Amino acid sequence: MIFFGLHNYLQEAIMNIEGFEYGVMLGTMEVLGVTVCSFLERHFIARERGRIAPLRSFFYLTACLLSSSALSNISLNYINFPTKVVFRSCKLIPTMLIGSLINGRRFSLSEYMVALAVCFGLVLFAAADWENSPNFHPIGLICVSMSVFADSILPNAQERLFRLGSSRLEVTVFTNILTLIIMTISTYFSGDLMGTINLAISDRRAALYMIIYISVAYVAISFHMHIVKRFGGVTAVLTATARKAMTIVISFIFFPKEFSPFYVVRNNKRKMI
């Protein structure tokens, strides 16, 4: 939770750097760090070789990861960071539904009602952003909603591979390396890659933030993958939802924003749960 808090702080800090207009590159940098570090850990520490899961399985995971990461970070060009964070908490219900379909998990009516109450709080939060941000663009909501759907498939698909015997490092390496190749090509032709590199060269603070962000991303994702492997995809999403409160507090402390009573109503709703 601590590492994800630092990860999200750096993410917003980078977005607030003057001249940084490449939201999609946050996902690319994250995938770069996870790919390189997981490969080194797998090759030199765990000394794993080969793979258990068929290669086609990783293409499905790559499509989900690519969609989730790219759409989520693109949305930051249209909505503020707390709104993105809270909307991504909405993946709880679709994750539960998809978990039932893919992995045969069963959830009680009361569990679905609790998840529905959390999602209702998200609507109140979005209303607060509408009120405080006149330039709030619906494209941002569309992007982050699509990323939520892709992200709800990802942990369940990963859980399925773990049940088949794949290791954490196998799933992490093969999923992210395919994603990195696609994201590198797409950001190069869009100009985002070179724009980010040029900014890092001209701005030392930006370069430092990016380097730390890449490193922290790997540690945070590694802990997340441990949870998916040991407890399942839905539990991992529940844990992620719990840490959102810390992320929002950090965002308001270090990056001051207008405050609305809707935020209080929404958080009181969470406390009632």
Side-chain angles (χ1 to χ4, degrees):
M1 188 173 290
I2 293 174
F3 283 103
F4 264 112
L6 180 57
H7 166 274
N8 291 335
Y9 164 80
L10 290 168
Q11 194 173 68
E12 188 165 8
I14 293 172
M15 284 299 300
N16 280 278
I17 293 176
E18 184 177 355
F20 187 86
E21 301 174 349
Y22 317 103
V24 69
M25 283 302 299
L26 292 172
T28 304
M29 288 187 284
E30 181 176 305
V31 171
L32 173 63
V34 173
T35 300
V36 173
C37 294
S38 61
F39 175 81
L40 294 175
E41 181 183 353
R42 187 171 191 258
H43 187 76
F44 293 105
I45 299 177
R47 298 187 181 278
E48 292 183 10
R49 298 291 185 274
R51 54 182 168 77
I52 295 176
L55 189 59
R56 65 178 180 274
S57 299
F58 297 109
F59 284 106
Y60 298 140
L61 293 180
T62 296
C64 292
L65 179 59
L66 185 64
S67 300
S68 172
S69 178
L71 290 169
S72 174
N73 290 302
I74 289 173
S75 71
L76 287 174
N77 294 321
Y78 302 95
I79 58 178
N80 66 29
F81 191 81
T83 301
K84 174 212 156 182
V85 168
V86 179
F87 253 82
R88 282 181 62 80
S89 300
C90 188
K91 65 184 178 183
L92 181 56
I93 290 180
T95 300
M96 293 168 70
L97 293 172
I98 293 172
S100 298
L101 294 174
I102 295 179
N103 298 314
R105 291 184 173 273
R106 295 291 180 265
F107 303 96
S108 66
L109 179 61
S110 61
E111 289 174 317
Y112 277 112
M113 292 301 294
V114 169
L116 185 62
V118 172
C119 292
F120 179 70
L122 305 182
V123 176
L124 295 179
F125 198 96
D129 204 36
W130 238 163
E131 179 184 63
N132 292 332
S133 304
N135 295 325
F136 184 65
H137 204 293
I139 289 180
L141 281 186
I142 294 174
C143 288
V144 76
S145 297
M146 292 173 64
S147 80
V148 164
F149 179 72
D151 212 21
S152 65
I153 299 175
L154 183 60
N156 285 301
Q158 290 171 333
E159 180 184 346
R160 185 172 180 80
L161 291 186
F162 289 143
R163 288 184 175 187
L164 295 175
S166 296
S167 70
R168 171 185 64 86
L169 289 171
E170 176 191 335
V171 175
T172 304
V173 170
F174 283 99
T175 302
N176 283 277
I177 194 170
L178 293 172
T179 305
L180 179 62
I181 292 171
I182 296 173
M183 294 185 80
T184 300
I185 295 173
S186 64
T187 54
Y188 174 78
F189 284 106
S190 69
D192 292 307
L193 177 61
M194 297 310 300
T196 302
I197 292 175
N198 291 332
L199 178 63
I201 293 173
S202 62
D203 189 329
R204 292 184 178 179
R205 182 170 67 96
L208 178 62
Y209 279 1
M210 291 176 191
I211 292 172
I212 298 175
Y213 175 73
I214 289 171
S215 302
V216 169
Y218 174 64
V219 179
I221 294 298
S222 293
F223 279 115
H224 173 77
M225 293 295 286
H226 273 297
I227 295 174
V228 174
K229 183 175 176 62
R230 184 170 182 179
F231 302 104
V234 174
T235 301
V237 172
L238 284 170
T239 304
T241 302
R243 71 169 184 262
K244 294 299 187 291
M246 177 186 67
T247 300
I248 294 169
V249 170
I250 290 175
S251 179
F252 275 103
I253 291 175
F254 292 100
F255 308 98
K257 304 167 182 66
E258 289 188 66
F259 194 80
S260 166
F262 280 106
Y263 292 131
V264 178
V265 173
R266 186 261 175 194
N267 282 321
N268 283 340
K269 186 74 175 177
R270 287 280 302 275
K271 290 177 181 177
M272 289 172 62
I273 297 171

